[in-house]
Amino acid sequence: LAALRSGPAPLLGWQILLCGVILGILGLQHHSAAAAGLLVLLLLVLFHRQGRPHAGAVLLAFCLGLAWAGCRLPDIPPQIPQWMLEREKVLVRATVDQVISRPGEIVRIYLSEVRCTPDGGREERLPGRLLWTWERPQVWPEPGQRVQGVFRIRPVRGFRNPGTWESEFHWQRQEVFYRTFTFGGKAEVELGPAQGGIRSLLRERLTANGTGQGVAILAAVLLGERYF
């Protein structure tokens, strides 16, 4: 009974400072919510001083979190190449960085070290990563594989609707500033030798005798593949 009357145990000092750091990280995008949370923390330390950190320490923790998030967030390229604005196809040479399958027989391929050569122009390197969405691919790219092909690249852009999910910020956190799309065998692409591995071997064995619902469930449970 005595424990119930005393109420819940108060937050420790380091826990309050940790909350300040987390709010600073969230403040990079959610300004109003982070400011409201910081106000609650400041009221907590001002009106319940016993065992609490100083208000200045909470503000410092918030600023540290905000500064850390700002340093970790990749910078958006300052300008878009002219050939991209004109929607020209370019020769792309890159390295497969990551491959993620999506429902509906779609594979998302993250390309790094992207170099583009427009028709009649010189080769230039794109900053960040290129997101290549391949629907019903003829082959399955593997991380570390070299890619060469002809693509039409466009910058990542969001709808900027207030209060909704911001796709542009989502891709910026992953250092993805450009994207391209291909369908089935229409992709003009060449893949270098694959390194292989246990994951690709298991996927090949699972799909060797068909791609029914049983195979789809096994691939999802064992490998996390949502392709089927």
Side-chain angles (χ1 to χ4, degrees):
L1 291 177
L4 290 176
R5 293 192 190 99
S6 62
L11 289 174
L12 300 177
W14 69 268
Q15 293 173 327
I16 294 178
L17 294 178
L18 178 61
C19 289
V21 173
I22 294 174
L23 287 172
I25 295 173
L26 295 176
L28 191 65
Q29 183 185 18
H30 305 287
H31 313 298
S32 301
L38 178 61
L39 178 61
V40 171
L41 280 184
L42 291 176
L43 291 176
L44 180 64
V45 299
L46 288 175
F47 289 96
H48 298 277
R49 285 290 304 141
Q50 186 176 2
R52 302 293 198 280
H54 194 273
V58 177
L59 288 174
L60 179 61
F62 180 87
C63 293
L64 286 176
L66 185 62
W68 182 84
C71 292
R72 294 282 296 178
L73 186 67
D75 294 328
I76 297 177
Q79 60 184 3
I80 301 174
Q82 186 63 31
W83 52 263
M84 193 179 299
L85 293 175
E86 296 175 358
R87 299 182 57 81
E88 296 180 5
K89 285 189 174 183
V90 295
L91 177 64
V92 176
R93 297 181 180 90
T95 302
V96 177
D97 191 35
Q98 186 181 10
V99 180
I100 299 177
S101 60
R102 303 292 296 173
E105 300 184 9
I106 294 174
V107 174
R108 283 179 175 173
I109 306 153
Y110 296 78
L111 300 178
S112 60
E113 302 175 8
V114 182
R115 297 184 180 275
C116 301
T117 306
D119 188 20
R122 61 178 183 178
E123 184 181 74
E124 58 183 279
R125 183 167 182 174
L126 286 184
R129 299 197 294 174
L130 169 65
L131 176 63
W132 172 20
T133 302
W134 196 354
E135 185 174 347
R136 298 181 182 178
Q138 302 299 302
V139 294
W140 195 292
E142 299 290 342
Q145 215 170 356
R146 292 293 298 174
V147 175
Q148 176 175 308
V150 178
F151 299 94
R152 180 177 285 112
I153 301 175
R154 59 183 180 180
V156 171
R157 287 289 181 266
F159 293 109
R160 298 184 180 276
N161 294 328
T164 60
W165 182 67
E166 295 183 20
S167 60
E168 189 173 351
F169 184 77
H170 167 77
W171 292 119
Q172 182 185 358
R173 295 202 314 269
Q174 302 184 54
E175 206 174 353
V176 173
F177 305 115
Y178 310 98
R179 64 191 311 168
T180 187
F181 177 86
T182 53
F183 179 83
K186 296 181 180 180
E188 305 174 55
V189 61
E190 297 177 5
L191 296 174
Q195 299 178 358
I198 185 65
R199 186 184 184 88
S200 59
L201 178 62
L202 286 174
R203 185 176 58 246
E204 291 175 4
R205 293 290 179 85
L206 282 174
T207 58
N209 298 320
T211 56
Q213 286 301 302
V215 173
I217 293 174
L218 280 176
V221 172
L222 297 178
L223 305 175
E225 300 289 5
R226 304 172 63 189
Y227 181 83
F228 304 107

